[in-house]
Amino acid sequence: MKQITSTNAKLAAAVALALLAASAAFLTFGQPVPEGSLPQPKLVIMGKSLPAVQAQKSVHAARLFYAFWNTGDPEFATLALATNFTDRTLPKGRPQGVDGPPFASRNFRQAVPDLRCGIEQLIVASDRVVAHLHFWGHFNGAFGQKRGAGQTVDFIATDILRIQDGRITDNWHIEDNLTLMQQLGIVEL
């Protein structure tokens, strides 16, 4: 009888998680968000001790944040970021807080207007999400004084997000800037 109860509990938890995932795609903080506008991670690894509701909220916040990076639409950043958001690896010249990511996106999209962001994998544990990201596009704009000629831009990045109550409060990030600068023609090796 114990195994049946355990099996039923696991099934109930799986069904609840699936229903939560479906509803979370359409309602986030009272805002409709179509599922198709959120990038789908290729792989999600969940900590076993994490409650299903917390895990789903964390994954959803990350997907909203990367929908922002994928599209440049600041509404996704507004939905993903807590009002007390802190960039823990703030680059020089970028404003701290919720204004920082939209500022960075606008500036980078001046160089790469068709910038896209894919989620290779998410690792979810406790109040953290580690994201392995893939960015790509074409250098058709300007980066400082350098003008693009349509060359391909293709690089990776990693984020460590801290998420509380379904919103991102902190981000530690690193981008493969050497590869990016080589592709932009700023650095030659």
Side-chain angles (χ1 to χ4, degrees):
M1 192 68 164
K2 260 189 178 178
Q3 188 171 3
I4 292 171
T5 303
S6 175
T7 302
N8 286 344
K10 288 179 182 177
L11 180 60
V15 169
L17 185 58
L19 289 172
L20 181 60
S23 64
F26 295 101
L27 277 181
T28 303
F29 308 107
Q31 300 291 327
V33 178
E35 173 67 22
S37 62
L38 301 180
Q40 182 65 42
K42 292 181 182 175
L43 175 66
V44 177
I45 301 167
M46 295 280 186
K48 293 181 182 185
S49 64
L50 198 60
V53 171
Q54 181 183 348
Q56 184 53 42
K57 283 183 178 181
S58 293
V59 169
H60 189 66
R63 289 181 69 202
L64 284 168
F65 191 50
Y66 301 122
F68 157 70
W69 283 108
N70 189 48
T71 65
D73 183 345
E75 184 61 27
F76 287 119
T78 300
L79 292 171
L81 301 175
T83 56
N84 63 338
F85 170 76
T86 302
D87 185 333
R88 300 294 179 175
T89 48
L90 187 68
K92 184 177 178 182
R94 182 184 299 178
Q96 183 57 271
V98 295
D99 295 332
F103 174 87
S105 175
R106 279 190 310 274
N107 286 338
F108 194 65
R109 285 178 183 278
Q110 289 178 2
V112 184
D114 65 344
L115 181 68
R116 306 297 291 174
C117 173
I119 308 170
E120 296 297 312
Q121 60 182 317
L122 294 178
I123 302 168
V124 185
S126 185
D127 64 348
R128 300 291 198 270
V129 172
V130 177
H132 171 207
L133 308 167
H134 177 207
F135 289 88
W136 69 95
H138 298 89
F139 184 25
N140 289 319
F143 186 82
Q145 300 301 312
K146 183 79 171 177
R147 301 266 336 146
Q151 58 267 51
T152 298
V153 170
D154 191 319
F155 65 98
I156 61 171
T158 302
D159 283 350
I160 302 172
L161 307 174
R162 180 173 183 238
I163 301 175
Q164 294 188 321
D165 299 321
R167 298 278 185 127
I168 300 167
T169 60
D170 301 83
N171 185 11
W172 295 261
H173 54 91
I174 187 164
E175 298 80 23
D176 182 3
N177 286 323
L178 178 58
T179 295
L180 175 61
M181 292 299 122
Q182 287 175 309
Q183 293 169 351
L184 296 177
I186 307 295
V187 172
E188 292 186 29
L189 291 183

